[in-house]
Amino acid sequence: MNESRRSMVTIAAALLAGGALKPTGAWAQGAYPAKAIRIIVPYPAGGVVDSIARVVGERMGRQYGQPVVIENRAGAGGAIGTDFVAKSPPDGYTLLMVSPSHAVMPFFQKNTTWDPVRDFQGIAGFGAIPNVIVVHPGVKAKTLPELIRLAKKDAGSITYASSGLGTSSHLTGELLNQLAHVQLTHVPYKGQPEAMTDLLSGRVDMMPMSTSLALPHIKAGKLRALAVTTGYRSSALPEVPTVAEAADLPGYQVGTWLALLAPARVPKAIVSKLSTDVTDAIQLAEVQSKFKDLALEGVPQSGAAFDAFLKQEVSVWADVIKRAGIQASS
């Protein structure tokens, strides 16, 4: 190093030590997080994504000694809140909770400005909530193979409800159409409450929904469980087979997974710290107990592991959506 360069480095070091120069933003590295963190939930308060975010946020707040604020920015199937985070300052203080619609929203909305892989990076995957395929008791099918036989006998006669285009319940039904070679008629609703109302009244025949929401109605005899959609049985419904088991469809696997993401341009050191801290925290017994109450199961994933999983999800559903002939709306 020449003498001039050495002098500049010495002066800068002295100023930094004296406080004249300070690292800015999140790059006051020893201090991160130095202020409140926001977790954006792109759905209304009270849903399962919101509930999981609050469990995680509460634990992060205790761990970091900083407020972790859950902010609901709902609308456009999750696109509004997601767009907000994608365009937020890349300082590690604005994060995003996601579920399966994150992977498919650009296929359903032409005006989506963000890419689920390019514009985000994983902090942690939390596991998945198994969906369960349920039917109204009036449907003459007590097993999934019986439902498939009914659907094949009269194409389009069996209706299934979803909480909207691109939601987990929609894609669960569409994948069953393709792998079982049936033609179930999709009936989309504005949300899960409206879909549930019509299912319980018998206006629609079937719906794939989260086990946590379906369980009370199954126990009351108002709905009949045919199969769970994940690759493993649900601990909440251990007697109910998976779709793969019941209908001999080994390629069938769908669940309502949840994860925490950061914008893509957040420095890797910050994302790595968050990933390590959050992944460790969610494996604590107290957190896992709360997850279990919300029917969330499965093995937590590191940020890098979730990134790889998300790329696979985008690829799988892109193919399903293309084969279904579903067109994006403006």
Side-chain angles (χ1 to χ4, degrees):
M1 183 182 294
N2 61 40
E3 198 62 37
S4 174
R5 174 67 174 159
R6 183 179 293 110
S7 297
M8 290 173 66
V9 171
T10 302
I11 292 168
L15 288 170
L16 183 60
L21 293 177
K22 294 182 180 180
T24 59
W27 274 105
Q29 252 325 89
Y32 179 84
K35 61 180 183 178
I37 295 171
R38 287 191 299 177
I39 296 178
I40 304 301
V41 176
Y43 308 105
V48 68
V49 181
D50 177 71
S51 298
I52 296 293
R54 292 180 189 279
V55 171
V56 174
E58 190 274 336
R59 181 63 209 182
M60 287 174 66
R62 286 164 53 192
Q63 185 170 3
Y64 288 144
Q66 295 288 351
V68 177
V69 180
I70 308 302
E71 186 174 317
N72 300 89
R73 287 181 174 257
I80 290 174
T82 304
D83 184 68
F84 175 81
V85 177
K87 294 175 180 176
S88 67
D91 56 10
Y93 289 102
T94 304
L95 310 177
L96 177 70
M97 274 290 295
V98 295
S99 61
S101 62
H102 178 77
V104 300
M105 192 55 61
F107 300 119
F108 289 92
Q109 295 187 13
K110 290 181 180 178
N111 296 329
T112 301
T113 58
W114 47 268
D115 182 273
V117 174
R118 180 196 67 216
D119 294 325
F120 297 92
Q121 52 187 322
I123 293 170
F126 303 138
I129 299 172
N131 288 334
V132 57
I133 293 176
V134 293
V135 293
H136 184 269
V139 175
K140 296 177 181 179
K142 291 184 167 54
T143 66
L144 185 59
E146 288 179 3
L147 183 73
I148 290 172
R149 283 195 292 271
L150 282 175
K152 286 183 175 180
K153 184 178 179 180
D154 189 0
S157 62
I158 303 294
T159 56
Y160 81 93
S162 83
S163 49
L165 287 173
T167 59
S168 179
S169 51
H170 173 206
L171 297 178
T172 295
E174 187 52 52
L175 186 60
L176 184 62
N177 268 345
Q178 294 182 16
L179 295 186
H181 305 290
V182 294
Q183 189 179 327
L184 304 171
T185 298
H186 178 219
V187 184
Y189 289 81
K190 292 182 179 180
Q192 196 149 232
E194 295 90 342
M196 177 75 85
T197 297
D198 275 9
L199 177 64
L200 290 170
S201 69
R203 291 191 184 94
V204 286
D205 300 314
M206 185 266 274
M207 184 175 178
M209 67 175 67
S210 67
T211 52
S212 55
L213 289 175
L215 195 58
H217 301 291
I218 294 169
K219 289 182 175 178
K222 295 178 180 180
L223 295 174
R224 182 185 302 131
L226 301 186
V228 294
T229 63
T230 40
Y232 51 87
R233 293 195 181 198
S234 168
S235 60
L237 294 166
E239 74 286 356
V240 178
T242 66
V243 170
E245 290 174 321
D248 193 22
L249 298 173
Y252 193 100
Q253 186 169 327
V254 189
T256 303
W257 48 259
L258 296 107
L260 185 64
L261 308 183
R265 293 183 298 117
V266 173
K268 295 296 182 185
I270 293 176
V271 174
S272 178
K273 173 180 173 57
L274 282 165
S275 181
T276 298
D277 293 346
V278 173
T279 304
D280 287 347
I282 62 178
Q283 295 182 73
L284 295 173
E286 63 176 280
V287 177
Q288 284 295 309
S289 177
K290 292 176 181 178
F291 280 0
K292 186 176 180 180
D293 290 342
L294 293 165
L296 184 67
E297 304 178 17
V299 179
Q301 297 167 296
S302 67
F306 181 79
D307 285 340
F309 168 79
L310 180 60
K311 287 180 182 178
Q312 182 180 17
E313 281 285 282
V314 171
S315 176
V316 167
W317 292 115
D319 185 53
V320 170
I321 291 164
K322 182 179 179 180
R323 282 189 278 128
I326 298 171
Q327 300 294 318
S329 61
S330 58

